[in-house]
Amino acid sequence: MRKVRYGSIIKVPFGPQHPALKEPENFMFEIDGDIVVGVHPRIGYNHRGIEKAFERRTYLQNIYLAERICGICSDAHTTCYTQAIENLLGVEAPPRARYIRVIIAELERIHSHGLWVGIAAHEIGFDTLFMYVWRDREVVMDLFETLSGNRVHYAMNTIGGVRRDIPADTVPKIKHGMDFLEKRLKYYLNVVQNEQTILKRTSGVGILKPKDAVELCAVGPTLRASGVKNDVRVDDPYAAYDEIPFNVVTHDGCDVLSRIIVRCEEMLESINIIRYALDHMPEGMIRVRVPMAVPPGETVSRVEAPRGELIHYAKSNGTTKPERYKVRSPTLGNIPALCKMLMGAHIADIPIVLAGIDPCFACMDRMTFIDDKTNKKWVWTMQQLRRKTRK
Amino acid sequence: MTTETFLIILQILVFPGAFFLFALAFLYEWVDRKVLARIQSRYGPLYTGPSGILQPLADFLKLLSKEDIVPMAADKILFTLAPVFYAVLPLTSLFIVPVASQKSLVMFEGDLIFVMFTSALMILTVFIAGYSSTSRFSLIGGVRAALQMIGFEIPISLAMIGPAIAAGSLSISNIVQWQQTSLQWTVWLQPIGFAVFVVCSLAEMEFVPFDIPEAETEIVAGWRTEFSGRKLALLRLGRDLELVLASALLTSLYLAGPQQVWLIPPVVTFMIKTAFVVLMFSLLRAIFARFRIDQMVSGMWKYLVPLAILQVILIQLGIGR
Amino acid sequence: MSLLKEALQRLFRKPVTLKYPFEKRPVPEGFRGRPVWDMRKCIGCGLCSNVCPSGAIEMVGKGLQSEIKHYVDRCMFCSQCVESCPRNAIKMTQEYELAGFDRSKMLYEYKREI
């Protein structure tokens, strides 16, 4: 990495309480001079026992529990959950419901990526851009409120379809909002690519080579910013994505700047998807009735959440409650890649690189190990996690 | 006590001395916050006093009443003294800068050098504050502040020297007088020096893009992480006074300082000019991202030092005096 | 400097912040606020309390003699109860300022008029 050493290595903790992290999580950095030479993430501060809670509730109640795994990607989690249960039941959502799922998912992508661009700007001290992006993101939040009745937890999905229709009179409203957002996003994309101070802080920072990205199992925009074309929406289409034409945005800069650009362009792509979906939405019913009890079986469902590939695993035993439920959120997949990016970074670059994967620790923390004999609790360290992911 | 001594004491304590400067400091913090908020489509302070004008004072008073925590491992004496120095040093410098008339409260030949000296001392205070609190974030913040000083100290001194060469005096009051008698503002004569001074002032006051020593998202609050209560109140006051000092220096050295225009008293022109400078600072801090420390220092040496030297050479060649 | 123009424009425009407790934005049609029960329609089937994911609804008594207790501090406004109700006795209102200091004040009881 670098030859010159200043001798003493100091340990600088980031978190669990730190302004750069909006959620409690601990990273212990070994700093040599101004350079990071060691990263030790310690995950588990946000563990809420959600997977256990899944086993205690009925399938219907679990929709709302799945939604509350994460506030930002609440729709991705419910989509993934309902798909898993629909698989087990052997039913399929009606076509109109699948289009509505796409629209909500893409609106969520815009809102999540918009939030991230704001956070990224804040991490590099650009508070004005942060305020502007969040101001314009309100458009999406208001649309959500009109469409679903709530700004954050939309609760649109249910097993066998969606709960609310998109009435014809809101369609022009959505389109109007999309036109406004498209204009603003193009402007921000221009700002990001031309503002010298942003370029100084982001280009060439947090490099993740395509080879490393694939080896360390990076997902989502982090992976696509390293030039790897990977998107669940294309690779394993769900909802109505197989009927909608769209591009997978990639960028081969491999740095934080390209992660910003990828996310900005993905938002523009989402706007096009929403427009297409609104125009081609078939008529018909929006949900099918499903029984309360689910036949025994197990299934895996995948969804491209705003942060990357989200995997839900469900095992049913014929009752009204799942026997086992497991969530692998995109942030967990990105943590090994994150450690790779952070090695050799400056202290000042830690926040932006950390934020670069769009971490959502609320999604991620479901990993605590309890030995019931000795009642000892522990959390996996990075090395153990790596070993496990390699297997 | 004669009336004269009484008047001098009144001048030092009330106008244009300490009290007036404190009021100005709080006013400019309000202006800065309000302008920054407006740029960001926010309201800023709103409810304390008309349009929130008393908010900085309220913050100050609130902090005074808060618990004052000294970390166990901190160097108690240095930790206590650093905020006091941080507030007193810009105040001392402000006595030298003309505020209410062409002449400042204290003036002597070479007081410009004294201002440079105190501004260097300020950074030293910052470093000591960071060092004495023995927190990792404070330490990094303090070291960054010292490093940053290496970057901007040379260009800011050169930019201060420019008007002095033109006026042929090292006294700020004389420079102001020279500008007013020769009826030209130095900013038109030495625009490069003005620009260098503005950029370096941003660094001196730790404003974006140079808020590196207290970068919130990186090192919590930098060198002021461990300060609380009265000490933090003093640090905030010191920072506000620094804003007044920077704008007052810019006004005196480049914008001809307090001027009697028709019936308007000099102090009003001074306030208009300084408020304009504060507005400029707020606008500039709104439209940039933060630099990294190495980028900042190398940028300063690569661009600002040569520019400042160029300005001095131009003055020596007779352009801009 | 690419944001300079926008920054200057914004300086002379009205802020977009809503002075919230003083001005309120009207909530849209279909907003999910505090649910209310219409006890004239309620048949006391208990479905709402059974489906509630957060256990916010409690049935006291059985059938047509039952009362409903709604703990709004537990409620997460998913409106599953509204969906499950066979008699459309539950409606989501537009009320959303429900925070408070006292949990005992967050209990809404629905009794039958006899």
Side-chain angles (χ1 to χ4, degrees):
Chain A
M1 201 156 291
R2 57 183 263 135
K3 303 273 153 45
V4 188
R5 295 212 158 215
Y6 297 100
S8 65
I9 286 175
I10 58 167
K11 283 190 172 173
V12 179
F14 265 54
Q17 304 288 328
H18 192 280
L21 304 167
K22 309 302 175 220
E23 291 168 280
E25 212 64 47
N26 177 268
F27 289 84
M28 185 63 87
F29 290 102
E30 284 168 3
I31 310 282
D32 182 12
D34 196 40
I35 306 293
V36 177
V37 292
V39 190
H40 302 283
R42 187 189 176 288
I43 64 176
Y45 283 90
N46 220 346
H47 180 86
R48 290 164 293 166
I50 281 193
E51 280 170 15
K52 191 71 193 165
F54 265 103
E55 295 164 20
R56 295 278 182 85
R57 282 169 174 76
T58 63
Y59 286 103
L60 195 64
Q61 292 172 338
N62 277 339
I63 303 171
Y64 308 105
L65 186 62
E67 189 162 46
R68 275 149 185 85
I69 290 173
C70 170
I72 308 297
C73 33
S74 61
D75 181 71
H77 280 287
T78 50
T79 311
C80 209
Y81 172 78
T82 47
Q83 273 176 24
I85 307 306
E86 279 160 17
N87 279 350
L88 287 173
L89 283 166
V91 297
E92 200 169 285
R96 189 174 172 85
R98 292 194 285 129
Y99 268 83
I100 293 175
R101 277 183 187 175
V102 166
I103 291 166
I104 296 293
E106 292 308 314
L107 277 173
E108 184 183 74
R109 199 178 310 280
I110 297 173
H111 125 74
S112 173
H113 283 356
L115 177 130
W116 181 83
V117 171
I119 295 278
H122 175 65
E123 303 288 8
I124 53 171
F126 205 155
D127 279 353
T128 309
L129 184 61
F130 161 58
M131 301 277 174
Y132 286 173
V133 175
W134 278 39
R135 180 191 67 205
D136 297 332
R137 178 178 154 267
E138 279 300 299
V139 174
V140 189
M141 308 302 282
D142 289 348
L143 280 177
F144 272 132
E145 203 176 17
T146 329
L147 286 176
S148 73
N150 204 321
R151 284 162 55 92
V152 179
H153 290 304
Y154 332 118
M156 280 296 260
N157 291 322
T158 190
I159 301 166
V162 290
R163 297 172 66 197
R164 285 195 194 198
D165 199 2
I166 294 181
D169 57 324
T170 51
V171 172
K173 234 186 233 173
I174 303 174
K175 281 189 173 167
H176 184 259
M178 290 304 112
D179 292 343
F180 171 78
L181 273 175
E182 189 175 31
K183 211 173 69 199
R184 294 302 303 176
L185 283 172
K186 280 185 176 155
Y187 172 72
Y188 293 132
L189 197 57
N190 179 43
V191 166
V192 166
Q193 284 171 317
N194 289 310
E195 170 62 46
Q196 283 303 317
T197 47
I198 296 182
L199 292 178
K200 274 245 176 224
R201 284 305 301 277
T202 54
S203 71
V205 169
I207 297 282
L208 182 68
K209 295 262 162 53
K211 189 170 155 281
D212 293 333
V214 174
E215 266 179 10
L216 295 170
C217 308
V219 290
T222 315
L223 181 59
R224 291 197 282 276
S226 290
V228 181
K229 211 168 186 155
N230 176 301
D231 193 322
V232 181
R233 291 177 290 174
V234 175
D235 303 341
D236 181 15
Y238 56 95
Y241 283 111
D242 46 348
E243 297 163 26
I244 299 173
F246 68 99
N247 302 323
V248 178
V249 180
T250 56
H251 198 278
D252 43 16
C254 307
D255 53 5
V256 175
L257 178 67
S258 56
R259 276 164 223 149
I260 300 180
I261 293 171
V262 160
R263 287 197 172 94
C264 283
E265 284 180 354
E266 260 181 31
M267 282 193 267
L268 291 170
E269 202 58 49
S270 292
I271 290 173
N272 290 335
I273 296 177
I274 291 169
R275 282 187 186 138
Y276 182 92
L278 283 173
D279 289 339
H280 295 79
M281 199 157 54
E283 291 298 318
M285 54 180 191
I286 55 166
R287 63 186 293 183
V288 289
R289 288 266 155 220
V290 291
M292 289 290 280
V294 174
E298 45 184 340
T299 185
V300 167
S301 142
R302 298 203 291 168
V303 156
E304 182 74 17
R307 291 172 172 79
E309 183 186 18
L310 171 70
I311 303 172
H312 279 215
Y313 162 84
K315 188 177 178 191
S316 58
N317 53 5
T319 60
T320 56
K321 291 168 186 173
E323 188 176 302
R324 176 75 177 101
Y325 204 79
K326 168 84 192 126
V327 180
R328 204 295 315 255
S329 78
T331 304
L332 189 68
N334 273 333
I335 291 280
L338 175 66
C339 295
K340 176 84 188 167
M341 290 179 224
L342 280 167
M343 292 294 275
H346 290 263
I347 299 181
D349 290 334
I350 291 173
I352 182 66
V353 176
L354 249 180
I357 63 159
D358 198 357
C360 175
F361 299 122
C363 285
M364 180 181 80
D365 275 351
R366 261 158 288 91
M367 289 269 271
T368 317
F369 299 89
I370 301 171
D371 192 334
D372 52 355
K373 281 174 204 142
T374 52
N375 205 20
K376 204 174 120 197
K377 290 183 191 176
W378 73 95
V379 179
W380 266 1
T381 61
M382 201 59 236
Q383 281 79 20
Q384 286 169 310
L385 199 67
R386 267 196 197 140
R387 232 175 286 142
K388 198 75 185 170
T389 45
R390 286 220 185 95
K391 269 177 195 170
Chain B
M1 198 171 18
T2 59
T3 10
E4 208 165 296
T5 16
F6 180 71
L7 264 179
I8 287 174
I9 289 171
L10 202 69
Q11 273 185 337
I12 288 177
L13 286 183
V14 184
F15 181 85
F19 182 78
F20 176 71
L21 291 173
F22 285 152
L24 210 60
F26 288 135
L27 178 73
Y28 284 169
E29 190 198 329
W30 174 78
V31 170
D32 174 52
R33 279 167 72 171
K34 206 73 184 167
V35 169
L36 189 67
R38 269 301 158 99
I39 290 171
Q40 297 175 344
S41 291
R42 296 184 287 121
Y43 277 102
L46 202 59
Y47 298 116
T48 325
S51 304
I53 198 163
L54 293 177
Q55 191 63 49
L57 181 68
D59 289 351
F60 181 74
L61 293 178
K62 188 202 80 177
L63 278 176
L64 282 183
S65 67
K66 288 269 173 180
E67 191 191 358
D68 198 349
I69 302 164
V70 181
M72 287 258 278
D75 187 327
K76 304 248 170 357
I77 299 169
L78 287 179
F79 191 75
T80 320
L81 281 180
V84 178
F85 275 106
Y86 190 73
V88 165
L89 283 171
L91 191 66
T92 326
S93 299
L94 271 169
F95 285 139
I96 294 168
V97 183
V99 170
S101 67
Q102 285 178 9
K103 284 206 173 65
S104 53
L105 271 178
V106 187
M107 68 168 283
F108 49 90
E109 189 57 40
D111 53 13
L112 188 62
I113 305 287
F114 181 77
V115 171
M116 289 179 196
F117 173 66
T118 45
S119 75
L121 268 186
M122 297 265 311
I123 310 292
L124 193 67
T125 318
V126 166
F127 176 72
I128 286 175
Y131 166 77
S132 65
S133 41
T134 59
S135 146
R136 277 168 279 203
F137 298 119
S138 305
L139 196 62
I140 295 173
V143 171
R144 281 181 174 192
L147 253 174
Q148 181 154 294
M149 186 183 79
I150 295 172
F152 71 77
E153 196 61 21
I154 307 286
I156 202 173
S157 306
L158 286 172
M160 280 190 202
I161 290 295
I165 300 172
S169 167
L170 271 175
S171 162
I172 299 174
S173 305
N174 288 345
I175 295 170
V176 170
Q177 266 170 3
W178 172 79
Q179 290 182 58
Q180 292 183 7
T181 45
S182 63
L183 287 174
Q184 48 193 358
W185 291 7
T186 334
V187 62
W188 308 122
L189 300 171
Q190 309 171 358
I192 306 176
F194 180 75
V196 169
F197 199 112
V198 170
V199 174
C200 292
S201 304
L202 284 175
E204 167 111 43
M205 290 182 298
E206 296 171 2
F207 275 0
V208 178
F210 306 112
D211 64 336
I212 307 162
E214 50 182 78
E216 185 214 342
T217 46
E218 292 159 21
I219 46 172
V220 190
W223 56 273
R224 47 175 91 196
T225 306
E226 299 297 332
F227 290 94
S228 57
R230 280 192 299 279
K231 298 193 182 73
L232 188 60
L234 278 175
L235 288 182
R236 283 183 64 113
L237 181 67
R239 193 204 173 107
D240 294 348
L241 284 168
E242 220 180 334
L243 178 62
V244 178
L245 176 64
S247 55
L249 269 179
L250 255 175
T251 312
S252 318
L253 293 179
Y254 283 95
L255 305 172
Q259 238 171 334
Q260 176 91 27
V261 182
W262 191 46
L263 279 180
I264 306 165
V267 66
V268 175
T269 53
F270 171 80
M271 281 176 68
I272 293 171
K273 283 174 186 174
T274 41
F276 170 76
V277 173
V278 171
L279 208 146
M280 192 175 64
F281 283 145
S282 314
L283 185 63
L284 283 177
R285 72 187 277 207
I287 56 167
F288 291 114
R290 184 191 308 123
F291 282 114
R292 213 164 55 203
I293 183 73
D294 54 322
Q295 291 168 345
M296 185 268 176
V297 175
S298 73
M300 284 281 179
W301 281 96
K302 256 188 223 159
Y303 304 108
L304 283 195
V305 174
L307 275 176
I309 293 174
L310 175 75
Q311 180 65 69
V312 174
I313 291 171
L314 283 178
I315 297 163
Q316 288 296 353
L317 290 174
I319 306 158
R321 58 194 298 180
Chain C
M1 296 291 259
S2 47
L3 217 63
L4 182 64
K5 204 177 134 210
E6 167 109 16
L8 279 173
Q9 282 172 356
R10 282 290 151 193
L11 188 55
F12 300 105
R13 266 194 227 163
K14 205 173 172 292
V16 292
T17 317
L18 205 70
K19 296 178 183 169
Y20 162 63
F22 308 109
E23 322 170 355
K24 283 171 196 164
R25 214 172 54 103
V27 289
E29 196 75 16
F31 179 78
R32 302 204 305 264
R34 181 174 72 88
V36 290
W37 274 254
D38 183 349
M39 292 313 275
R40 278 167 305 183
K41 287 186 190 166
C42 178
I43 50 167
C45 64
L47 252 177
C48 52
S49 108
N50 277 342
V51 294
C52 182
S54 52
I57 306 166
E58 194 187 325
M59 293 275 296
V60 183
K62 269 186 185 167
L64 287 166
Q65 273 78 51
S66 60
E67 287 170 13
I68 287 186
K69 281 184 176 175
H70 177 228
Y71 297 90
V72 80
D73 52 335
R74 294 186 209 158
C75 182
M76 57 186 192
F77 311 101
C78 61
S79 100
Q80 183 60 46
C81 48
V82 178
E83 216 177 280
S84 296
C85 184
R87 290 279 184 247
N88 286 330
I90 314 173
K91 273 200 177 64
M92 298 300 262
T93 57
Q94 304 210 325
E95 205 179 314
Y96 59 92
E97 286 168 315
L98 300 162
F101 291 103
D102 192 357
R103 287 191 86 167
S104 63
K105 281 182 188 152
M106 295 185 184
L107 170 64
Y108 289 83
E109 281 176 283
Y110 298 91
K111 292 196 171 114
R112 281 167 204 278
E113 293 159 25
I114 306 155

